[in-house]
Amino acid sequence: MSGLLRTEQLVVGWQQPATQPLDLSVAAGEIVGLTGPNGVGKSTLLAAIAGRARVFSGRIEQRPGTHLALQTQDVPPVVGMPLSGRELLALTGASPAGLPAWLADHLDSRLDRLSGGQRHYLTLWAILQAPADLVLLDEPTNNLDVAGVAHLTEHLRDRAAAGAGLLVVSHDTAFVDTVCGRVIALEGRHVS
Amino acid sequence: MSVELFQIPFLTGLAFAILLPILGCYLRLRDEWLAALAYSHLAAAGALLAMLAGLAPVIGGLAMAGLAGACRRLFARRLSGGAGDALLLLGGWSGAVLITANEPMAERLGHALFDGQLYFAGSEQLWLVGVGGLVALFFLRLLSPNLLLARVYPDIFRLRGLSAWPTQMGFDLMAALCLALATMSLGVMGAFALVFIPPWLAFRRAANWRAGLCWALGIGVAAYVAAFALALGLDQPFGPVLAILLVLGGLLVA
């Protein structure tokens, strides 16, 4: 296959099917957006591609040797744990180079002593900058202010330009329209 | 009072005062501190059973706790939320108390296992604890990045095509064996005090993970040295003196 990821008539869920059949592809250097109302199965789709949720029918193909990274909406459980931002990045192999100044200055602080937005962006960065060919992002703009969203937008473009494929689930239509080269809207029974 | 008489017990306990707080940091990281208490109780029951069977108690203690550590992961999904550790703890405690109550031969060992018998540690025990402690610290160093990753990004192993079970089972087994060894010398609660309170205090104060390990180590060693001197000076059992010092320190700092 030429792309990094392709799905054919894919139906996924946890205990029962939660999505309509979906054809999807992501190529290297491409940013694909996935939008739609709550409950349509966007996050479940990412979970299935990452091997967490169940595939009920259809299939998922990945280019052999593709390394995945997944950012979920779950906040890593760091409250009460003495783990600094720098240590977190070292764990995933993410480089701190390129972090915005409002975060780079707090790299040596404990994660549970950062603001919600700072912690979210740092845990997102640890995934985004980790070595991977295909990055799956679930609502990456949650908790981010305007500066955070602007920095993320620029960084996703840089990541794609460096050859990674990105599949982004988001409710933030302005963000999706700005950053994604292609958008797939899941609408319950229809996919447009 | 002969200094030489207490040198081996002191060094044996010191090895645990270095190992247990660091091990406790990883148990706390994984929300598995109750498992430490379970392993200690199972080790006590195993040691008593071994004695009744004519074997060395340390073999029974290590075998029973090691079995629990190795098999713990198999039941993790069905017994979530700490239920598995609570069942192991209650099972170990019941077994140990029933054996002690019904076998006159076991009564003395039973009391020693629960109260601690550090002052009776011999050179063989010191060697076992010293070498075992060094091996355990080496493996902890090796497992540390994966243990931290498993906590903050549990999906990362599957995404990178790696198996998480060697890390999980390896850690469980190592923790069980360390706690079993510690129970033989420090007693159930003395070992638990060292594995629980220093990491609890360290996690509140430390600026990062490495500092947390250093804080836990410092608190554990300082409390141990003070407790050893105090227990000897006041002619009191060591385990309760250590526990009460750590509890008072914990209350003061918290």
Side-chain angles (χ1 to χ4, degrees):
Chain A
M1 64 183 289
S2 57
L4 292 170
L5 172 76
R6 188 174 67 192
T7 72
E8 280 180 16
Q9 292 296 294
L10 181 66
V11 177
V12 301
W14 298 100
Q15 280 78 35
Q16 55 192 17
T19 63
Q20 292 299 309
L22 176 67
D23 293 330
L24 165 81
S25 66
V26 181
E30 187 181 24
I31 306 177
V32 177
L34 210 51
T35 63
N38 286 338
V40 81
K42 305 183 297 295
S43 300
T44 310
L45 193 67
L46 291 192
I49 294 168
R52 291 172 73 202
R54 189 173 157 195
V55 174
F56 284 88
S57 62
R59 59 186 200 161
I60 301 172
E61 281 183 26
Q62 282 174 29
R63 191 176 71 187
T66 298
H67 290 101
L68 291 184
L70 169 71
Q71 173 252 333
T72 67
Q73 292 185 55
D74 301 330
V75 180
V78 293
V79 175
M81 181 178 153
L83 188 69
S84 71
R86 196 178 297 282
E87 287 172 326
L88 179 79
L89 297 187
L91 282 175
T92 63
S95 164
L99 270 174
W102 48 267
L103 206 46
D105 295 343
H106 295 89
L107 263 184
D108 292 314
S109 299
R110 278 172 65 138
L111 289 167
D112 61 354
R113 291 176 187 162
L114 298 177
S115 73
Q118 288 171 325
R119 193 186 314 165
H120 172 78
Y121 201 68
L122 204 51
T123 53
L124 169 62
W125 188 268
I127 291 295
L128 205 52
Q129 275 294 90
D133 307 301
L134 177 61
V135 184
L136 312 173
L137 302 174
D138 193 358
E139 301 292 355
T141 57
N142 278 359
N143 288 326
L144 293 185
D145 60 12
V146 176
V149 174
H151 190 273
L152 177 64
T153 303
E154 281 308 305
H155 184 68
L156 293 185
R157 286 178 179 147
D158 291 345
R159 196 79 171 84
L166 295 106
L167 183 57
V168 182
V169 164
S170 180
H171 281 105
D172 188 339
T173 48
F175 168 71
V176 169
D177 290 342
T178 306
V179 78
C180 296
R182 192 154 54 86
V183 179
I184 296 168
L186 304 182
E187 297 169 351
R189 293 184 178 279
H190 309 288
V191 177
S192 61
Chain B
M1 188 186 304
S2 160
V3 172
E4 289 77 21
L5 187 65
F6 293 103
Q7 201 168 26
I8 287 177
F10 176 78
L11 291 175
T12 305
L14 185 63
F16 285 123
I18 292 168
L19 173 64
L20 293 184
I22 292 176
L23 177 67
C25 286
Y26 291 92
L27 285 165
R28 189 165 190 82
L29 167 77
R30 295 162 62 79
D31 279 337
E32 289 177 352
W33 56 266
L34 190 60
L37 208 46
Y39 294 143
S40 288
H41 279 86
L42 285 166
L48 289 165
L49 277 175
M51 193 202 72
L52 292 183
L55 299 169
V58 68
I59 292 174
L62 287 172
M64 184 74 98
L67 188 68
C71 298
R72 186 174 174 275
R73 200 57 45 191
L74 300 177
F75 303 99
R77 216 173 259 180
R78 289 175 64 189
L79 300 171
S80 57
D85 295 331
L87 294 183
L88 286 175
L89 163 61
L90 290 170
W93 172 75
S94 306
V97 172
L98 283 173
I99 294 169
T100 306
N102 289 285
E103 287 291 338
M105 279 169 60
E107 194 177 348
R108 193 172 154 208
L109 178 61
H111 284 301
L113 288 168
F114 280 94
D115 300 343
Q117 51 184 353
L118 182 61
Y119 300 139
F120 300 103
S123 56
E124 281 179 10
Q125 201 168 355
L126 175 59
W127 271 104
L128 183 63
V129 171
V131 174
L134 283 175
V135 171
L137 287 173
F138 171 76
F139 274 105
L140 267 180
R141 177 83 181 85
L142 213 62
L143 294 176
S144 180
N146 280 354
L147 290 170
L148 287 161
L149 261 181
R151 175 68 177 172
V152 288
Y153 296 117
D155 288 323
I156 210 160
F157 293 93
R158 182 176 43 244
L159 290 166
R160 292 183 175 179
L162 306 170
S163 296
W165 71 264
T167 298
Q168 292 172 340
M169 194 174 279
F171 176 76
D172 286 344
L173 182 60
M174 189 191 59
L177 294 176
C178 290
L179 262 303
L181 267 183
T183 302
M184 301 297 145
S185 299
L186 304 177
V188 169
M189 285 303 165
F192 181 63
L194 271 177
V195 96
F196 180 80
I197 296 181
W200 169 60
L201 292 173
F203 273 36
R204 295 168 67 99
R205 295 279 165 162
N208 54 52
W209 184 255
R210 182 179 284 270
L213 295 178
C214 293
W215 270 97
L217 178 64
I219 294 167
V221 169
Y224 167 75
V225 172
F228 195 93
L230 208 59
L232 265 187
L234 300 176
D235 194 22
Q236 294 296 313
F238 168 75
V241 173
L242 171 68
I244 203 125
L245 269 185
L246 282 166
V247 167
L248 288 174
L251 289 175
L252 274 176
V253 176

